[in-house]
Amino acid sequence: MKSYTFFLFALLLFSFAAQGQTNAPQLGKNTVKEVIAAMTIQEKAQLVVGATELKKASSADTGTTIGFTEQKVPGAAGIMAAIPRLGIPALIVSDGPAGVRINVVRKTDKSRRYYATAFPVGTSLASTWDTELVEEVGRAFGNEVREYGIDILLAPGMNIHRNLLNGRNFEYYSEDPLISGKMAGAIVRGIQSNGVGTSIKHFSGNNQEANRNGVNVIVSERALREIYLKGFRIAVKESNPWTVMSSYNKLNGIFTAESYDLLSTILRDEWKFEGFVMSDWGGGRDRPAMIRAGNDLIMPGRPGQSDMIVAAVKNGTLSMQALDSSVERILNIILKSPTFNKRPYSDKPDLKAHAEVVRRAGAEAMVLLKNERQTLPFGSKVKSIAVFGNTSFKTIAGGWGSGDVNKAYVISVIKGIGNAGYKPDADLKRDYLRYFTKDSADQMAAGAKWPKAAPELMLQDSVIFKKAEECDIAVLTIGRNSGETSDRDLEKNYHLLPAEIAQMNKIAAAFHARGKKLVIVLNVAGVIDMKGWKESADAILLAWQPGQEAGNSVADVLSGKVNPSGKLATTFPVNYEDISSAKNFPGTPVEKPLNVTYQEGIYVGYRYHDTFKVPVSYEFGYGLSYTKFAVTDFRPGRPSANGNFEVTCRVKNTGTVAGRQVVQLYVSAPVKNLDKPAQELKSFAKTKLLAPGESQQIRFSIKGADLASFYSDRSEWITDAGRYEVRIGFSSRDIEKKGTFVLNASIPVEKTHRVLQPVEQIKEYKP
Ligand code: BGC
């Protein structure tokens, strides 16, 4: 009897609960508006704040990040709040730009490891100048996002390479907004084709790590529009990213995460962005102001933040309408997500297939900087190789921080060389490996938790001489790494150390004395100094940080299996001081900059070097090939009334081996009321693999609007009347053909809002 009463009571309780469930509108069954109407203020405030556990990740397993979740996908950077009553599940978001960053070991499953693929870093991908390939990388990448049960990838990073020392440049693409926007658009299309989302980041002006959370970027409206926002705009237009991540810094006095002008007026009203905006981890200060600005999701989320939102609505400082808009935008994305749609995932992406994509993309991205007397390719003329340099053995796949990936392996340069059938010298290998073992042991004995990268091994002269006797050629890898939270050190990271140069010169002298050559491989995160050593090398291959197949990609190019076709998307200056931001980086006070003034305005990278006639070490767009190309049948079309025009040409492989070439279209615009860069990249195309003698037609369609400059005084993009020069080249300084046309009348392209003006007067550099 007793148990019968209990049963009835339980049944009654259950049916109440079930009724409660069915009575409340359910996301997916009811409209988003109906769901919002049924939400309490507390629930709304809950949804706009992340639900990531309070964890400080600092282990080698997760990298240096602000937080991560143990739920569903351990090691993912964050989780959103769930509201089961309304059928709203919690989405998982994960870093990062070079691969899915999750924990390898799971407490709940000790039986296996959860590795992800380390793809080439952003700077590397941009050097392919191949949007189709980058989209293909995106498809493989997005498949891993999906197969690991993640909803939104916190990538790509697409800030402008304003200064070479930014510690996170490796995550980003280029000094040029067109390249940045096109690359970001391509990878987002690829990733999102898997039914998962992306978050293009960090919007905007996060061009340094020095005091990234507090620094105020003081920049003109014109530089903002033409340089720092343009790439984001292109990516939004061409790929519809599900989300945008606001940055840590202030822009002209206001934290981007609290900037209505940036996140609502520009991003939504002007660009028609339809997804939601999330903050960077811990970005912004005033939580209600963030929602007011249109920063819909506060990440990673901390206790008490929802209460602040509720309080602000109650005291009238945050309108319910603003909160509802954020909720609506978030719900619309949740509706598309794998978690909401209960898409099954395997936890077993095809890592083998993706490694093949990495190897190919890594090799396509490499830039051949120098190749005297056909040092490369090795082909079959080289057999034994003296492999030098720490990073020939400990090759760097990518940088550290949230852009790191927990990969299963990295193919070293020496391994790749061996895989390609060459004979790396065994004595050198033994010496280096012994040195690493001893160095780690010494560090551990001295109390280190994890051994740091060992200083460069200095070999005895006798060893170098002996190897110059015995081996056919020398390969020396120079490595540099960098990552989140700090910028690169000018002396130790940008410059080669005196000891490195001395050793390189010794190797060069020893090999040259015997009529043999030295190849330098640069396994670097970004631009490095080339002075005082590049003459020693017979060939220099800029390998960047090409992902986990690094050594195989390097060997593919060294051997000649792949003909290099990468091009610089960021200039290599002669001196660091030659770059336009050198005097204003990282801002003042230097120890912890509160302000950084972008005095260079629009003159960033080649826009500066070309306009101010500053010599460079290797120019924007530069990269050699094992073959030669010529441009023929150049036809610069006449512009129509709206300024649109077509350019066609033929690119012919005039050399002896198959290869690909990047055709770059630069335009020099008339200077009337506004100063202009000497030339700007307006389009680019990469040929297919052309056999010797083969040619391909290339067609560019340029819009008049693409030629416009931003007139701050009128808040308007205008394409000026006057004489334009169209240049087709294989680099910004290797122009093959030129044509001109005249626009008789100026073309008003677009009126914008007058927003984000600097408060201070900026004395911008003028040509
Ligand atoms: C980084 C972001 C990253 C986030 C989550 C932040 O420190 O700036 O790029 O997505 O952490 O790990």
Side-chain angles (χ1 to χ4, degrees), residues 64-67 77-78 94-97 101 154-155 168 171-172 201-202 206 209 212 245 248 279-281 402-403 484-485:
T64 26
T65 53
I66 311 293
S94 166
D95 286 309
R101 191 175 59 84
L154 305 173
R168 292 185 85 175
E171 296 184 48
Y172 309 145
K201 68 188 187 184
H202 309 87
N206 181 188
E209 288 299 282
R212 63 176 183 176
M245 187 190 288
Y248 282 132
S279 70
D280 198 347
W281 269 225
S402 61
E484 197 171 341
T485 66

Side-chain angles (χ1 to χ4, degrees), residues 52 65-69 75-80 91-102 141-142 145 150-159 168 171-173 187-188 191-192 196-202 241-246 248 276-282 297 299-300 401-405 484:
T52 317
T65 53
I66 311 293
F68 66 93
T69 179
I79 184 164
M80 291 165 63
L91 302 198
I92 296 283
V93 303
S94 166
D95 286 309
V100 171
R101 191 175 59 84
I102 54 175
F141 196 159
V145 175
I150 294 156
D151 296 286
I152 297 171
L153 182 79
L154 305 173
M158 53 177 305
N159 293 93
R168 292 185 85 175
E171 296 184 48
Y172 309 145
Y173 296 115
I187 206 154
V188 166
I191 294 168
Q192 292 194 167
V196 296
T198 55
S199 194
I200 59 175
K201 68 188 187 184
H202 309 87
W242 287 15
T243 77
V244 168
M245 187 190 288
S246 55
Y248 282 132
F276 73 78
V277 175
M278 71 174 85
S279 70
D280 198 347
W281 269 225
L297 177 64
M299 287 304 276
S402 61
D404 200 359
V405 187
E484 197 171 341

